[in-house]
Amino acid sequence: MNQSLDIMTAVGAAAAIRDGTMTVEDFARGCLQRMAAREDVLKAWAYVDPAAVLRQARELDKTPSLGALHGLPIGIKDIIDTRDMPTCHNSPIYVGNRPSGDAPLVETLRAAGALIIGKTETTEFAAAGRDPSTRNPFDPTRTSGGSSAGSAAAVGDGQIPLSIGTQTGGSTIRPASFCGVHAMKPSWGTISREGVKVYSLTLDTIGLYGRSIADLDLLAEVFGIGEKQQIPASVSGLRLAFCRSPEWEATEPPMREAFARAEDILRNAGAHVSTLDLPEPFNGLPAAHKTILFREGRTAFLNLYRAHHEILHEDFRHRVENRDGFTDQMLVAAYDLAAHCRTRFDSIAAEYDAVLTPSAPGEAPKGSGAGNPALNHMWTLLHAPCINVPGLKSAAGLPLGITVTGSRYADRQLLAVASAIDQAIAAAI
Amino acid sequence: MNQSLDIMTAVGAAAAIRDGTMTVEDFARGCLQRMAAREDVLKAWAYVDPAAVLRQARELDKTPSLGALHGLPIGIKDIIDTRDMPTCHNSPIYVGNRPSGDAPLVETLRAAGALIIGKTETTEFAAAGRDPSTRNPFDPTRTSGGSSAGSAAAVGDGQIPLSIGTQTGGSTIRPASFCGVHAMKPSWGTISREGVKVYSLTLDTIGLYGRSIADLDLLAEVFGIGEKQQIPASVSGLRLAFCRSPEWEATEPPMREAFARAEDILRNAGAHVSTLDLPEPFNGLPAAHKTILFREGRTAFLNLYRAHHEILHEDFRHRVENRDGFTDQMLVAAYDLAAHCRTRFDSIAAEYDAVLTPSAPGEAPKGSGAGNPALNHMWTLLHAPCINVPGLKSAAGLPLGITVTGSRYADRQLLAVASAIDQAIAAAI
């Protein structure tokens, strides 16, 4: 593989394809080579058909540009329906499952010229049950994080420029932190989640991975989220709030150091840095998240419990039987608290250009577990856009991500601010 | 067809099958005969394969009872995926579309022994665009209402005992009112909507049709919604609030008379009847509903706009292009108002055993349009359970339904109260 291909951003590759300096086939071939070379160690992929990928790549080379993603390889999390590949949810119930059509989000990607290169490994139903076997690109004894394990690892490892994940707790942002990848969980409801396995309608959100903030902005544009914003020349003068969130106790020393380091870097670069302590009601959000997750999960997995009881993983039986006893009153209280805090967080966030918070408790843990979503689930429940800015690393050389978040639907403004933050951090390390 | 079959409730038929006094095949054959005899006039069905239905019926006759719905024929709205029948959404884009699997709710029905008898006509994507050709069982020059046109008409016409619809505006309850059918829109999130075409995640809700309140209760039980409640011996002593809602101006004289008649009947039967005027913020709910509907519809139909632009109906282009200019600020305000009113309505409704409100502006209109959802959309947005109690009729003999509603997740309590109300109205007319 041409060494440059594995660090080429999606925006850069799109330009090279458009200008005729690189063919779709060459880029796809480079990606496939890197995927094949690394798969034994990384195990990012649930399904790839190299011959079919190259056939489509050659077709795209012969086709006038379909759109902004023309010829760009994209990995799709294996809980998302694809018309030409299996969708197996890492579940024994769905072995060999062949959906008859693309999920709408996949159809939108194809309509913009994307090359769907394969299906990425996932935690079972992006929820619980079976872990993926995916490993961390920086240390194969460690997890890539879940549930969007393969999507994060494949981009983090330089195999592909773009991928799609999902987030219900912390399933996009946490793996991005562990794998050192730029990622975004957009505001709730901005990308169709039809044709994607449901866990919780209130929480499930499509997630985006790329090699730069501009790559994420490119995907946001394709999905019709907001309008392109001017990127600030620098962080100088930006109002940035550092928020430890109610889950700060879950953080470990390497993340605490990285978070302090980010604050120093951005202050030194001229940002107006302040500390944000969220008001008392926000302390109830972690419990509200769990109540909603488990009660909506009861609805989501009922059919599997009834029709595939013997092979359904214990974790899902647990939810359907409501073994933790979440009551209707608890569910209503959780919905109402979340709604209250959404309004308040919009007001709070409006006073800043961005709110920054840790993307994960610390380094990727050993093994193949999903990792602790404590630092992410609150923001998922708030429906707020979250962007993972990588770049910082622990003493051991492992990635530690910072989440840039803000008001609902400020996605594109936040991407512009995150771009300036990303540049400042990259310049300082 | 045995004349009694077309008025046999699902509960009654289930008992007859269980007791061996009726075979599944006999019941299915009776339903198919009535369907065939009436289809030219009523046009309720998008797809039926009588031979396959009878084959499955005979299988069910040979099988020990699978559950509470063993052998009961159920019609499925044609925006819901079925593994053995096409799912076409009344859209030219989906002609002949064959999903590879059942929607989870269909799998849950089958696991309880249900016989999926066919797919029912729908407004395009249960949203806008093309009207179904379905006519009203009481007057074929009139509409059955939409979007769950065929599901309501087939049950209202005595063709089948049970069917499944959906509601995003008023698509379950309004056709029930027009067709004189018992129907329920449960609390939001209580039945999986995976494998069902998405219009609005905040509003889309699965709807149930049956021949009695007990039939609806049977379906609620199968879907694991709440717990069975004792039915009051009569309405005597029940606290019933008559609520004209902010959309009262949309009602026509026949409904106004029916609503007053219901109040008289229930008062005379001993209920404590009162008038409920909702507080001022509720007046904003109709506009909030439209904002959410159109903005979430923009997300839902983006892929069709991009990939099937030429044959996509103008109504959906309208939404994707956001021609009405609904802003992010309007969307946030709509979400927040809805959340505020949900909490308040729960408190208000807790003071009564049920809140009653009209199910439609009046009689089914001439033609084949969906009808005006003004009397329904507020309750959909509130996520409140709604039950249509039929029985009342206009001077012209056309059905006029009353909605029985209440707090979120009070579904089974409300079904018990609705049963008493239903009996009181049936006894008085």
Side-chain angles (χ1 to χ4, degrees):
Chain A
M1 176 179 189
N2 180 328
Q3 279 305 310
S4 71
L5 294 191
D6 66 353
I7 54 164
M8 190 177 267
T9 64
V11 169
I17 291 168
R18 205 164 43 237
D19 300 346
T21 57
M22 180 173 72
T23 67
V24 176
E25 184 179 358
D26 281 348
F27 193 35
R29 201 177 287 278
C31 291
L32 290 168
Q33 281 169 5
R34 171 110 186 141
M35 288 158 66
R38 292 282 290 165
E39 183 59 8
D40 275 0
V41 173
L42 225 67
K43 298 182 170 62
W45 296 94
Y47 182 90
V48 183
D49 178 347
V53 167
L54 291 174
R55 204 162 48 236
Q56 285 176 55
R58 286 189 288 269
E59 279 302 313
L60 285 164
D61 274 325
K62 285 187 275 184
T63 308
S65 178
L66 292 170
L69 304 178
H70 195 87
L72 297 183
I74 300 191
I76 305 290
K77 186 174 182 176
D78 200 29
I79 64 157
I80 301 173
D81 282 355
T82 41
R83 64 167 193 238
D84 51 359
M85 302 177 193
T87 302
C88 304
H89 311 280
N90 189 16
S91 161
I93 299 169
Y94 285 89
V95 171
N97 174 53
R98 285 270 182 179
S100 55
D102 280 334
L105 82 87
V106 174
E107 188 164 57
T108 296
L109 292 172
R110 287 199 215 260
L115 174 60
I116 308 301
I117 199 164
K119 302 299 284 286
T120 58
E121 283 288 1
T122 175
T123 305
E124 191 170 356
F125 301 126
R130 306 205 299 192
D131 285 330
S133 47
T134 310
R135 294 306 171 123
N136 192 292
F138 289 79
D139 175 356
T141 69
R142 295 175 186 267
T143 183
S144 64
S147 65
S148 307
S151 290
V155 175
D157 192 49
Q159 299 180 14
I160 49 172
L162 297 173
S163 66
I164 302 293
T166 63
Q167 177 156 320
T168 301
S171 283
T172 293
I173 297 297
R174 186 177 64 259
S177 180
F178 291 168
C179 296
V181 184
H182 293 87
M184 181 176 200
K185 180 201 79 65
S187 296
W188 184 85
T190 53
I191 300 178
S192 169
R193 51 158 329 298
E194 190 180 331
V196 181
K197 185 72 193 160
V198 174
Y199 182 9
S200 157
L201 289 186
T202 298
L203 299 166
D204 294 345
T205 316
I206 304 303
L208 314 172
Y209 293 98
R211 283 184 183 154
S212 65
I213 298 292
D215 284 3
L216 303 175
D217 200 65
L218 177 70
L219 288 172
E221 180 70 25
V222 166
F223 287 117
I225 303 173
E227 313 221 327
K228 196 164 187 64
Q229 303 291 314
Q230 183 78 35
I231 296 172
S234 80
V235 296
S236 182
L238 292 182
R239 298 156 301 161
L240 304 180
F242 278 71
C243 177
R244 294 182 163 197
S245 92
E247 295 281 25
W248 179 253
E249 299 231 327
T251 56
E252 297 153 8
M255 178 54 84
R256 293 185 181 201
E257 288 156 25
F259 199 57
R261 178 92 202 280
E263 191 174 329
D264 285 344
I265 291 171
L266 295 167
R267 186 188 290 109
N268 292 341
H272 297 303
V273 167
S274 56
T275 297
L276 170 62
D277 290 314
L278 295 169
E280 199 283 326
F282 286 72
N283 295 330
L285 290 177
H289 181 277
K290 186 171 184 188
T291 301
I292 292 170
L293 189 68
F294 275 59
R295 278 293 301 257
E296 295 190 1
R298 183 168 172 254
T299 297
F301 299 117
L302 177 69
N303 65 307
L304 302 181
Y305 184 84
R306 296 275 173 80
H308 307 274
H309 194 271
E310 275 111 72
I311 53 170
L312 184 65
H313 193 286
E314 182 66 7
D315 285 357
F316 304 106
R317 298 183 190 185
H318 182 109
R319 283 157 179 74
V320 175
E321 291 174 3
N322 191 22
R323 289 187 199 158
D324 292 336
F326 294 110
T327 64
D328 293 336
Q329 288 70 27
M330 289 165 77
L331 181 60
V332 164
Y335 283 142
D336 293 352
L337 177 68
H340 171 77
C341 290
R342 278 177 205 134
T343 311
R344 285 190 77 167
F345 184 67
D346 283 349
S347 302
I348 291 167
E351 295 172 31
Y352 307 98
D353 291 298
V355 174
L356 286 79
T357 194
S359 290
E363 302 166 326
K366 292 278 186 182
S368 60
N372 183 352
L375 277 298
N376 315 108
H377 51 199
M378 189 182 93
W379 312 104
T380 313
L381 182 53
L382 288 174
H383 292 174
C386 291
I387 299 161
N388 183 62
V389 174
L392 295 168
K393 287 190 176 162
S394 68
L398 294 166
L400 295 159
I402 305 296
T403 291
V404 176
T405 184
S407 308
R408 286 175 287 178
Y409 309 107
D411 298 58
R412 300 299 285 277
Q413 292 88 330
L414 209 59
L415 278 163
V417 170
S419 183
I421 292 172
D422 186 52
Q423 288 169 41
I425 289 176
I429 56 178
Chain B
M1 173 178 188
N2 178 330
Q3 278 307 308
S4 72
L5 295 192
D6 67 351
I7 55 165
M8 189 178 267
T9 63
V11 169
I17 291 167
R18 205 162 45 235
D19 301 346
T21 58
M22 181 174 72
T23 66
V24 176
E25 183 179 358
D26 280 350
F27 192 35
R29 201 177 287 280
C31 291
L32 289 169
Q33 282 169 4
R34 171 108 187 146
M35 287 157 68
R38 294 282 289 165
E39 184 57 10
D40 275 0
V41 174
L42 224 65
K43 299 182 172 60
W45 295 94
Y47 182 88
V48 183
D49 177 348
V53 168
L54 292 173
R55 203 160 50 235
Q56 286 176 56
R58 285 189 290 269
E59 280 300 314
L60 286 164
D61 275 325
K62 285 186 275 183
T63 308
S65 178
L66 292 170
L69 303 179
H70 195 86
L72 298 183
I74 300 191
I76 305 290
K77 186 173 182 176
D78 200 29
I79 64 156
I80 301 174
D81 282 354
T82 40
R83 64 167 192 237
D84 52 358
M85 302 177 192
T87 302
C88 304
H89 311 279
N90 190 17
S91 160
I93 299 169
Y94 285 90
V95 171
N97 174 54
R98 286 268 181 178
S100 55
D102 281 334
L105 81 90
V106 173
E107 188 165 53
T108 296
L109 292 171
R110 288 199 214 258
L115 174 62
I116 309 301
I117 199 164
K119 302 300 285 286
T120 57
E121 282 288 1
T122 177
T123 305
E124 190 170 359
F125 301 126
R130 304 206 299 193
D131 285 331
S133 45
T134 311
R135 294 307 173 121
N136 193 292
F138 289 79
D139 176 355
T141 69
R142 293 174 189 268
T143 183
S144 63
S147 64
S148 307
S151 289
V155 175
D157 193 48
Q159 298 180 14
I160 49 171
L162 298 172
S163 66
I164 302 294
T166 63
Q167 177 156 320
T168 301
S171 283
T172 292
I173 297 298
R174 185 177 67 258
S177 180
F178 291 168
C179 296
V181 183
H182 294 86
M184 181 176 200
K185 179 201 79 65
S187 297
W188 184 85
T190 54
I191 300 177
S192 168
R193 51 158 328 299
E194 189 181 331
V196 181
K197 185 73 195 160
V198 174
Y199 182 7
S200 157
L201 288 186
T202 299
L203 299 166
D204 294 346
T205 318
I206 304 303
L208 313 171
Y209 293 99
R211 282 183 184 156
S212 66
I213 298 293
D215 286 1
L216 303 175
D217 201 64
L218 177 70
L219 288 172
E221 180 71 24
V222 166
F223 286 116
I225 304 173
E227 312 221 327
K228 194 163 186 68
Q229 303 291 314
Q230 184 77 36
I231 297 172
S234 80
V235 295
S236 182
L238 292 182
R239 297 155 302 162
L240 304 179
F242 278 71
C243 177
R244 294 181 165 197
S245 92
E247 294 283 25
W248 180 253
E249 298 230 328
T251 58
E252 297 153 8
M255 178 53 83
R256 294 184 180 203
E257 289 156 23
F259 199 58
R261 179 90 201 284
E263 191 174 330
D264 286 344
I265 290 170
L266 294 167
R267 186 187 290 109
N268 292 341
H272 297 304
V273 166
S274 56
T275 298
L276 170 62
D277 290 315
L278 294 169
E280 197 283 326
F282 286 72
N283 295 330
L285 290 176
H289 181 277
K290 187 171 184 188
T291 301
I292 292 170
L293 190 68
F294 275 59
R295 278 294 300 257
E296 295 192 359
R298 180 167 173 257
T299 296
F301 299 118
L302 176 69
N303 65 306
L304 302 181
Y305 185 83
R306 296 274 173 81
H308 308 275
H309 194 271
E310 274 111 73
I311 53 172
L312 184 65
H313 192 284
E314 182 66 6
D315 284 358
F316 303 105
R317 298 184 189 185
H318 182 108
R319 282 157 180 75
V320 174
E321 291 173 4
N322 191 20
R323 288 187 199 158
D324 292 336
F326 294 110
T327 63
D328 293 337
Q329 289 69 27
M330 291 166 76
L331 181 60
V332 165
Y335 283 142
D336 293 352
L337 178 68
H340 171 78
C341 289
R342 278 178 205 134
T343 312
R344 286 190 75 167
F345 184 68
D346 283 349
S347 303
I348 291 167
E351 296 173 30
Y352 307 98
D353 292 297
V355 173
L356 287 80
T357 194
S359 290
E363 303 165 324
K366 292 279 187 184
S368 60
N372 182 352
L375 277 299
N376 316 107
H377 51 198
M378 188 181 93
W379 311 103
T380 313
L381 182 54
L382 288 174
H383 292 174
C386 291
I387 299 161
N388 182 63
V389 173
L392 295 168
K393 286 190 175 162
S394 69
L398 293 166
L400 295 159
I402 305 296
T403 290
V404 176
T405 186
S407 309
R408 285 174 289 178
Y409 309 107
D411 297 59
R412 299 300 285 277
Q413 293 89 327
L414 210 59
L415 279 162
V417 170
S419 183
I421 292 171
D422 186 52
Q423 288 169 41
I425 289 176
I429 56 178

